[in-house]
Amino acid sequence: MPITCHLVGADGATQTVTARPGESLMQAAMGANATGIEADCGGLLTCATCHVYVREPFASQLPPPEADERAMLEFTASPCQPNSRLSCQIVLAEALEGLTVDLPASQH
Ligand code: FES
């Protein structure tokens, strides 16, 4: 079953993308030509330009970030918050149907 995810821009505009289970949120956003996620490194955890703020209840459902992701979260262009994640590390599953994230004002 495809998973529907919502990307809410800093201006409040929402982009809805559909993902396959096992795909990352970043891949789903890129595949849909969504704006607001740059993903300069293509998911290699070296850019932090795929930063998103994950809304509840989803933020609590995600596995906590690994050390590599935590380290890269220190390099986000917009302020890092407790619900900040790198979308290339969010692996989508059917339990995340309706996943909603806020996009930062800037990725650079
Ligand atoms: Fe570069 Fe996520 S795409 S860290």
Side-chain angles (χ1 to χ4, degrees):
M1 285 278 286
I3 301 151
T4 305
C5 306
H6 308 286
L7 312 173
V8 183
D11 62 358
T14 300
Q15 303 171 89
T16 298
V17 303
T18 305
R20 295 188 307 274
E23 203 172 27
S24 73
L25 178 61
M26 179 277 278
Q27 289 170 324
M30 294 291 107
N33 287 323
T35 56
I37 293 177
E38 301 295 335
D40 291 347
C41 78
L44 299 177
L45 261 186
T46 58
C47 77
T49 62
C50 63
H51 179 203
V52 297
Y53 302 110
V54 183
R55 290 194 186 176
E56 293 295 353
F58 305 101
S60 309
Q61 294 174 17
L62 296 176
E66 304 272 355
D68 287 353
E69 183 182 351
R70 287 201 307 273
M72 279 313 295
L73 280 167
E74 295 182 15
F75 297 96
T76 55
S78 293
C80 185
Q81 298 177 4
N83 64 337
S84 284
R85 298 298 298 259
L86 296 179
S87 58
C88 67
Q89 302 303 304
I90 298 176
V91 179
L92 296 167
E94 287 179 11
L96 294 172
E97 169 63 29
L99 174 71
T100 304
V101 304
D102 290 288
L103 299 171
S106 174
Q107 295 284 12
H108 288 284

